[in-house]
Amino acid sequence: MTAPVRAHWTAVCRYDDLIPERGVAALVDGRAVAVFRTHEGALHALSNLDPFSRASVLSRGIVGDRGGRATVASPVYKQVFELATGVCLDDPSVSVSTYPVRVVNGVVEVCSS
Amino acid sequence: MRTVVVAGHGMVGHRLVEALTGRDVQRHWRIVVLAEEIRPAYDRVALSSYVDSWDAEALALPAIQDDRVELRLGDPCVRIDRRKRTVHTVSGYRVAYDALVLATGSAPFVPPVPGHDLPGCYVYRTPEDLDAIRAAAQRAMRTTALGRRSGVVVGGGLLGLEAAYALRQLGLSPHVVEIAPHLMPMQVDEGGGALLRRFIEGLGVRVYCGQATTAIEPDRGRMLVRLSDGTELDTDVVVFSAGVRPRDTLARDAGLPLGERGGVLVDVCCRTCDGDIWAIGECAAIEGRCYGLVAPGYAMAEVVADRLLGGNATFPGADTSTKLKLLGVDVASFGDAHGRAQGALEVVHNDPVAGRYAKLVVSDDARTLLGGVLVGDATAYGTLRALVGAELPADPGALISPSGGELDASALPAGAQVCTCHAVTVETIGAAVQEGARTVPALKECTKAGTGCGSCVPMLKKLLAAQGVEQSKALCEHFSHSRAELFEIVAATRITTFSELVAKHGTGRGCDICKPAVASILASLSALLSPGSHILDGEQAALQDTNDHFLANLQRNGTYSVIPRIPGGEITPEKLIVLGEVARDFGLYTKITGGQRIDLFGARVEQLPAIWRRLVDAGFESGHAYGKALRTVKSCVGTDWCRYGVQDSVGLAISLELRYRGLRAPHKVKAAVSGCARECAEARGKDFGVIATETGWNLYVGGNGGFRPRHAELLISDLDTETLVRTIDRFLMFYVRTADRLQRTASWLEELEGGLDHLRDVIVHDSLGICAELDAAMEAHVAGYSDEWRGVLEDPDKLARFTSFVNAPGVPDPSIEFVQERGQPTPAHRRDGQPVLIAGSKLAVGAR
């Protein structure tokens, strides 16, 4: 039997510190993760690395929606990614990793296992 | 390669060179152009605008930069040796030709009246002619003789009225003498000419029709002009504009046949009886007929370019329709304006009180439009001209009555010419729309319609609408409004948040298109709607592009660059030292910008507050290089230091930059001030540019560098500083209010209906009655300005956002790495997650 894998959750910030529709970047096990709070209050965590520019900037993009799906636009070359899936809506062959995210005692945590 | 020699470098010769170099992809031809004038081809049609700026450069046509073209200026062709197929120039240069194109144009006709060659008599054809007239006017102003200084223009046609305008600009009282019974006899009829005369006389121009000039005599330092009815006119200057004659001497001397009334006789493919010699433009007599307009000349140039490359184009015939604005009066004539066709009927609407004259010429059965004349109001010109030769869609009287309403574009027949400059028909436009050209710019691109004089652009819009193409002005999927409409909504409803705006007037939660646009509108209106607010306050922070959000410019590796304001480019040594120290201490790459400031690159987000603390302490403030806002007002050194400067350009640039700093606009706004006509600040490449004159300032607007360079156009000249500033205030506020998102002033002005004239009407003559509002908006902006970076440094909540990682505030982003390049840090380029060092320049810098 292999050793059980235990999810590892990293604290990011207080939920109340997140500005709706504006991301923050967090260091999660050495990786840069972008965390977003939507207008409705939902949380999403994606890799912060923009695959088109290779810069670590997705958290600084503008959050909005396309056809009702919550999105972030890369601040570099403006490709739009769906927050829930990480899929690039301008080029569906490209996507960024997504991470589980939760709130514990008012603190936002991201899972990196 | 074969050689084509082009004798003459006017507008038509220039068009031939453009057409030939553009199409000759196989490089069959080398082109030698022999120009008589000392400057390359320029826009002679616009010659009269030279008296506004006295800047011949402003008339320049796009320069030809092509290794196949040899242009010899000031070296006209003087002899053709047809046997040896060689031409000789005035300097003794000889060149052998395989083809020779005569494009020598025409010369002003000077009637042989006694005294026509006195000093003080001029023609009106080149910038040099105008310089000479100006010098004469200035000499006249200095004399002490009694009476008003005046000028007599011989000839009351189009050019004569332009000359009268020029004399008026020079401070002389103009008199126009026309031998025909009314003004502009070539274009308009008696009724139109009478109304035109009323307009012109209202502007202080004296008109004498039906009069010949019988003599010009010297008279105590001035001149006396005698007219056939005995009238005597005292004058200081005489300008002849009594028509032109084709310059056909070269052909005549070479034994080539001429037209009955002069001109080089050519056939419909513009060829003389010598198969190697062609003639185009005003010197050519196509099947015996000369054309004194540029459009037929262009058509001939296209024919010859095609023929030289083996094509079989023929001259399509000329449309001599014209629409122009003379001394502010609209005049248009089209088709058979004089009703010369057999049995032609005329339908006239004449309202001298309203200042409107319209005549339609129709066939004897009153069903087909043949031509017409419009004076005072030429808005119907585009539709009516296109209808020439077609069955009338309505009663002719209704078409020209003021209450007749607009003609439906769908009434135009397929063969009607929409764009006469490029001979584009309704049918061609329709086909282009079917193939996917859904906008005016797209139609311009694929059909060339609207790229000549531009008068058919409104018609293109109508045709698009008639084809059912809706010109969507929706900003994005969240708003069906244009930016200008949203601006008006926000101004009227005083909504101050995006959430309220999108809830009441849009759908969804916005996107990277509408959010920054709304953020910009809110910022532009903040001085009026929410004084004292900051662009990062509350919800507005989430609307901003990353540049505005961090008040710095995002670079490719995720770092930012910092540009403090250096108004007018003037900076003290102490401040320069601070910039150097900050760059050194934070490891920033430094570069001088094109806007006379200093850019510090490579700052990480968490470094920005510390950098700005140092800069603000040293007296710097935000330069808004990150915003769609006023950037810089560049300046030359001006009168303080420059030997040639005539005004204090630095002082004005600084005061303008301080006045407009922080003004959020649809796009960035760049400006410059030059202290003399040498224009060292390159002001005509800017959104607004100011150029000093001896007596004040000339204001140019709508210039652009960048992807589509465009020279700014002269809006108004010789302004005092106060009027200048008020005019710029209004220009900027009108632009902020009405432009599209990310539309620079250049394309805004191009798309503005009525163009520069309309802009002038609105912001100088207050034709919309909004100037007081525009002034108040700018006053509020100036009074409400505060430095955005100081605002951040004083607010702990805003400062807290400047971290690379929210859960590790002190940790720099490990993905950002630098290498040294020419002694400075530059981004290490990354590939597949690994840093890749791009090889640096291999040149040993010291060896250069």
Side-chain angles (χ1 to χ4, degrees):
Chain A
M1 183 181 127
T2 53
V5 175
R6 183 165 299 165
H8 181 243
W9 292 87
T10 302
V12 171
C13 64
R14 298 197 58 77
Y15 179 81
D16 292 343
D17 290 343
L18 289 173
I19 302 175
E21 302 192 315
R22 194 81 219 178
V24 296
L27 259 188
V28 178
D29 292 338
R31 268 178 281 191
V33 174
V35 180
F36 300 95
R37 170 178 163 180
T38 66
H39 182 67
E40 290 75 25
L43 289 174
H44 297 283
L46 315 175
S47 166
N48 196 41
L49 196 72
D50 169 18
F52 294 95
S53 65
R54 300 183 187 284
S56 185
V57 292
L58 277 190
S59 61
R60 303 179 208 155
I62 286 181
V63 176
D65 79 281
R66 186 177 282 185
R69 293 191 283 183
T71 56
V72 63
S74 163
V76 184
Y77 299 122
K78 315 295 179 194
Q79 291 88 355
V80 170
F81 298 86
E82 186 178 10
L83 290 180
T85 61
V87 172
C88 176
L89 299 181
D90 295 318
D91 180 356
S93 69
V94 177
S95 63
V96 297
S97 315
T98 58
Y99 299 88
V101 57
R102 68 183 185 187
V103 181
V104 176
N105 295 329
V107 173
V108 178
E109 295 180 349
V110 172
C111 177
S112 62
S113 69
Chain B
M1 259 177 140
R2 304 205 291 160
T3 299
V4 54
V5 172
V6 182
H9 195 220
M11 298 173 76
V12 171
H14 186 75
R15 170 61 75 96
L16 172 67
V17 176
E18 279 185 335
L20 190 55
T21 51
R23 292 190 212 162
D24 182 15
V25 286
Q26 312 260 10
R27 299 176 69 87
H28 288 307
W29 292 97
R30 129 181 205 265
I31 307 172
V32 179
V33 185
L34 304 175
E36 176 180 56
E37 291 187 56
I38 52 165
R39 58 173 59 90
Y42 54 88
D43 185 357
R44 199 189 304 282
V45 172
L47 180 66
S48 290
S49 70
Y50 180 62
V51 299
D52 296 321
S53 65
W54 298 103
D55 175 13
E57 277 297 301
L59 297 174
L61 295 173
I64 292 166
Q65 283 160 345
D66 193 298
D67 62 342
R68 290 167 288 179
V69 180
E70 176 188 346
L71 171 62
R72 296 180 69 87
L73 294 173
D75 197 11
C77 175
V78 291
R79 191 166 75 82
I80 305 167
D81 186 335
R82 285 170 60 193
R83 201 174 46 80
K84 292 186 183 160
R85 295 208 301 179
T86 303
V87 294
H88 299 248
T89 72
V90 72
S91 73
Y93 181 76
R94 272 188 303 179
V95 54
Y97 65 82
D98 298 291
L100 169 63
V101 184
L102 302 173
T104 46
S106 57
F109 169 66
V110 177
V113 294
H116 67 85
D117 49 1
L118 284 173
C121 293
Y122 301 93
V123 294
Y124 194 89
R125 198 177 92 93
T126 66
E128 285 70 31
D129 293 333
L130 268 65
D131 285 337
I133 293 169
R134 181 196 199 191
Q138 287 171 343
R139 276 196 303 276
M141 292 297 183
R142 284 196 296 268
T143 63
T144 53
L146 288 173
R148 295 179 66 177
R149 307 298 96 185
S150 67
V152 171
V153 178
V154 179
L158 162 60
L159 204 59
L161 295 182
E162 292 201 352
Y165 164 78
L167 294 181
R168 187 163 160 266
Q169 289 293 96
L170 290 167
L172 302 178
S173 300
H175 300 258
V176 173
V177 182
E178 169 58 48
I179 198 161
H182 61 86
L183 291 171
M184 290 185 73
M186 298 291 282
Q187 289 85 9
V188 307
D189 60 352
E190 193 178 344
L195 179 62
L196 181 60
R197 176 175 184 153
R198 278 173 55 97
F199 275 121
I200 303 286
E201 289 189 325
L203 296 165
V205 179
R206 302 289 301 274
V207 177
Y208 310 82
C209 286
Q211 299 288 327
T213 306
T214 53
I216 304 166
E217 297 162 7
D219 182 25
R220 288 163 292 170
R222 302 181 75 197
M223 285 176 288
L224 192 67
V225 176
R226 293 185 190 281
L227 306 187
S228 48
D229 72 346
T231 304
E232 295 178 351
L233 302 173
D234 288 317
T235 190
D236 301 281
V237 174
V238 174
V239 178
F240 289 104
S241 59
V244 294
R245 295 291 181 267
R247 300 180 70 191
D248 50 19
T249 317
L250 277 175
R252 183 200 313 264
D253 293 349
L256 291 167
L258 304 181
E260 254 176 54
R261 287 185 232 158
V264 186
L265 190 63
V266 293
D267 59 18
V268 288
C269 47
C270 300
R271 191 160 23 199
T272 67
C273 67
D274 179 330
D276 297 323
I277 303 181
W278 313 71
I280 57 177
E282 296 185 0
C283 73
I286 291 202
E287 298 195 306
R289 179 167 176 198
C290 292
Y291 295 89
L293 292 169
V294 76
Y298 281 170
M300 295 180 219
E302 298 286 342
V303 168
V304 171
D306 181 72
R307 290 269 168 179
L308 288 175
L309 295 171
N312 53 11
T314 54
F315 183 64
D319 179 359
T320 53
S321 299
T322 38
K323 174 183 172 221
L324 42 108
K325 211 179 187 84
L326 272 174
L327 296 133
V329 185
D330 279 328
V331 179
S333 87
F334 52 95
D336 181 10
H338 295 283
R340 295 200 171 101
Q342 185 79 37
L345 305 173
E346 296 189 350
V347 181
V348 176
H349 174 89
N350 190 6
D351 185 347
V353 180
R356 197 170 174 280
Y357 176 88
K359 178 182 85 174
L360 293 186
V361 178
V362 296
S363 59
D364 52 3
D365 59 359
R367 296 180 65 167
T368 307
L369 181 64
L370 301 177
V373 173
L374 304 169
V375 177
D377 174 6
T379 43
Y381 171 73
T383 319
L384 291 174
R385 186 197 56 194
L387 270 175
V388 169
E391 188 158 322
L392 284 166
D395 170 49
L399 290 176
I400 48 173
S401 82
S403 54
E406 290 232 337
L407 253 185
D408 191 352
S410 60
L412 293 176
Q417 233 177 50
V418 179
C419 170
T420 45
C421 300
H422 293 286
V424 184
T425 60
V426 169
E427 196 173 10
T428 310
I429 298 288
V433 173
Q434 292 302 320
E435 281 164 28
R438 317 288 286 178
T439 62
V440 171
L443 285 175
K444 283 183 174 179
E445 180 83 31
C446 66
T447 66
K448 290 181 98 177
T451 59
C453 70
S455 69
C456 63
V457 169
M459 179 55 73
L460 296 179
K461 288 184 185 162
K462 284 191 195 173
L463 285 170
L464 279 167
Q467 295 246 340
V469 179
E470 215 171 292
Q471 292 297 292
S472 172
K473 48 193 172 37
L475 197 56
C476 63
E477 69 173 80
H478 305 101
F479 288 100
S480 59
H481 313 82
S482 67
R483 180 196 167 277
E485 288 168 342
L486 281 179
F487 190 97
E488 295 304 324
I489 289 172
V490 173
T493 60
R494 307 181 76 85
I495 288 174
T496 56
T497 67
F498 178 82
S499 286
E500 189 184 347
L501 187 67
V502 79
K504 289 188 175 159
H505 299 278
T507 57
R509 282 307 305 166
C511 62
D512 61 313
I513 292 171
C514 60
K515 281 187 167 177
V518 171
S520 165
I521 291 169
L522 293 174
S524 294
L525 285 166
S526 66
L528 291 169
L529 302 185
S530 44
S533 67
H534 191 280
I535 64 160
L536 299 181
D537 280 346
E539 191 196 89
Q540 235 183 302
L543 307 180
Q544 308 291 352
D545 258 322
T546 188
N547 282 7
D548 283 293
H549 196 259
F550 291 107
L551 308 172
N553 291 49
L554 179 70
Q555 302 298 331
R556 63 185 308 156
N557 66 341
T559 63
Y560 290 80
S561 82
V562 170
I563 306 185
R565 187 167 299 290
I566 301 178
E570 182 183 86
I571 186 166
T572 62
E574 284 70 26
K575 281 189 160 179
L576 261 183
I577 289 167
V578 170
L579 288 179
E581 288 174 344
V582 167
R584 183 194 59 205
D585 297 350
F586 290 88
L588 305 176
Y589 168 94
T590 57
K591 191 172 189 308
I592 314 282
T593 72
Q596 300 184 334
R597 345 201 245 189
I598 295 171
D599 205 343
L600 313 176
F601 289 80
R604 296 188 308 274
V605 164
E606 72 274 13
Q607 292 179 307
L608 290 170
I611 290 170
W612 272 102
R613 180 84 64 195
R614 295 261 300 265
L615 294 174
V616 168
D617 285 349
F620 285 105
E621 58 179 15
S622 164
H624 295 97
Y626 48 79
K628 306 302 178 210
L630 177 89
R631 296 286 172 83
T632 66
V633 183
K634 188 176 167 179
S635 67
C636 67
V637 290
T639 35
D640 282 349
W641 292 93
C642 178
R643 287 174 292 155
Y644 305 109
V646 294
Q647 303 280 356
D648 176 17
S649 53
V650 182
L652 180 70
I654 292 173
S655 69
L656 291 177
E657 186 161 339
L658 296 180
R659 183 172 181 80
Y660 304 127
R661 66 187 160 175
L663 178 68
R664 288 297 201 286
H667 209 317
K668 59 188 171 187
V669 174
K670 298 180 173 186
V673 181
S674 277
C676 79
R678 285 171 186 76
E679 238 283 72
C680 296
E682 298 162 330
R684 294 198 59 212
K686 306 298 182 195
D687 294 281
F688 68 88
V690 180
I691 302 177
T693 67
E694 296 282 344
T695 52
W697 307 99
N698 284 353
L699 174 59
Y700 294 80
V701 294
N704 210 160
F707 191 66
R708 272 186 61 201
R710 181 181 193 270
H711 264 149
E713 293 177 85
L714 183 70
L715 181 71
I716 179 162
S717 49
D718 276 326
L719 294 166
D720 60 72
T721 306
E722 190 190 333
T723 317
L724 171 80
V725 172
R726 190 172 64 236
T727 312
I728 301 173
D729 285 358
R730 293 173 180 177
F731 167 72
L732 288 174
M733 278 303 175
F734 188 48
Y735 163 64
V736 164
R737 210 161 132 164
T738 60
D740 272 338
R741 160 188 171 269
L742 298 188
Q743 186 178 40
R744 291 288 295 272
T745 58
S747 61
W748 169 69
L749 196 53
E750 273 176 18
E751 284 182 22
L752 193 66
E753 265 187 44
L756 194 67
D757 288 333
H758 175 66
L759 176 67
R760 194 180 292 116
D761 284 345
V762 172
I763 67 174
V764 179
H765 307 305
D766 200 10
S767 61
L768 299 181
I770 59 170
C771 283
E773 273 174 53
L774 300 176
D775 292 346
M778 186 58 85
E779 246 169 65
H781 164 77
V782 173
Y785 168 80
S786 65
D787 176 22
E788 283 169 2
W789 258 108
R790 185 181 284 277
V792 168
L793 294 176
E794 288 169 355
D795 182 343
D797 284 347
K798 294 191 178 91
L799 270 179
R801 295 174 198 156
F802 288 81
T803 54
S804 282
F805 300 110
V806 68
N807 60 346
V811 178
D813 183 345
S815 75
I816 295 170
E817 290 170 277
F818 296 102
V819 295
Q820 289 288 311
E821 192 79 31
R822 294 180 297 278
Q824 293 210 77
T826 51
H829 290 263
R830 299 176 70 86
R831 193 162 294 149
D832 300 329
Q834 294 300 312
V836 173
L837 302 188
I838 304 281
S841 164
K842 292 287 188 289
L843 279 177
V845 175
R848 276 204 268 184

